[in-house]
Amino acid sequence: MKYWLAFTSIATAALIASAQTADAHIVASRLGDFYSGGLHPLTDLQDLILWAAMGVLAGSLGASKGRWLVLAFPLGLLAGLGFVSAGPAADAGMILVLGLLLAAAVRMPMALLCAIAFGLAVMRGAANAGDLGPETNRLLFAAGLACAGYAAITLTMAVTLAFRRPEAGASMAWRGIAIRAFGGWIAAIGLMMVGFAYAS
């Protein structure tokens, strides 16, 4: 037993001593900035909440109104890369507004929905552009960000449409209530974030 413990200790010490620095980033690949643009929103809680809330809102209004977001949202992200971020208070306010729209089950025209989605995308594009370094290939980063926005909005709308199933009748009415409850939670998060933004 002592022999086994001594052997394990020596082997562990040898492994620790021979360890080198890990290089986990894609340095040599030309697509590194593309992946960075696509994955960067996943590292920001505000992006996750806002993109999910926007997709659920569009999906809850139906496919005919939401389909234009597939184009408007990525274009807004690209346009936002040229602006300066509005700050955390604006993001918190947008979370609150989207949550209230979902909770109240507001029916809105397609043009207003697209305008809200485009404005949100411009805000989040500007926020993502604030983290770009001078060595970043902006074209690849923008392409990755736009692809991520397209995929996120499209998939969230599709899941919401499949979940909502208004053609199923009264037996599935609880699904609309669940979407409104989700909106209430989003609004509560937005209210907390507004408070934090103005308290600091």
Side-chain angles (χ1 to χ4, degrees):
M1 185 67 178
K2 289 183 179 180
Y3 173 76
W4 177 250
L5 184 61
F7 176 75
T8 305
S9 300
I10 292 171
T12 304
L15 283 173
I16 291 173
S18 66
Q20 297 177 354
T21 305
D23 191 6
H25 297 283
I26 303 173
V27 175
S29 174
R30 297 237 342 128
L31 293 177
D33 291 327
F34 177 83
Y35 292 133
S36 177
L39 296 176
H40 191 268
L42 299 178
T43 64
D44 191 345
L45 184 61
Q46 291 168 336
D47 273 324
L48 293 175
I49 294 171
L50 283 166
W51 290 21
M54 190 73 245
V56 171
L57 177 62
S60 69
L61 294 174
S64 61
K65 290 185 180 177
R67 68 172 49 113
W68 285 102
L69 265 67
V70 172
L71 181 62
F73 196 78
L75 288 177
L77 288 171
L78 292 176
L81 290 173
F83 292 98
V84 177
S85 177
D91 293 331
M94 186 60 90
I95 292 172
L96 178 61
V97 167
L98 289 177
L100 291 174
L101 289 173
L102 272 169
V106 173
R107 310 307 292 175
M108 66 180 71
M110 182 177 60
L112 179 59
L113 179 66
C114 286
I116 291 171
F118 188 82
L120 165 65
V122 168
M123 285 173 47
R124 294 315 302 161
N128 281 283
D131 294 333
L132 291 178
E135 73 286 350
T136 304
N137 184 323
R138 291 182 173 268
L139 184 61
L140 287 176
F141 185 90
L145 183 65
C147 288
Y150 168 82
I153 286 295
T154 303
L155 292 174
T156 308
M157 283 193 304
V159 168
T160 304
L161 284 166
F163 175 77
R164 188 171 149 257
R165 291 181 55 199
E167 74 281 354
S171 64
M172 294 296 176
W174 66 270
R175 295 183 182 210
I177 296 169
I179 290 174
R180 293 181 72 176
F182 174 75
W185 282 102
I186 295 294
I189 292 170
L191 191 59
M192 278 193 316
M193 291 177 73
V194 166
F196 287 139
Y198 286 110
S200 57

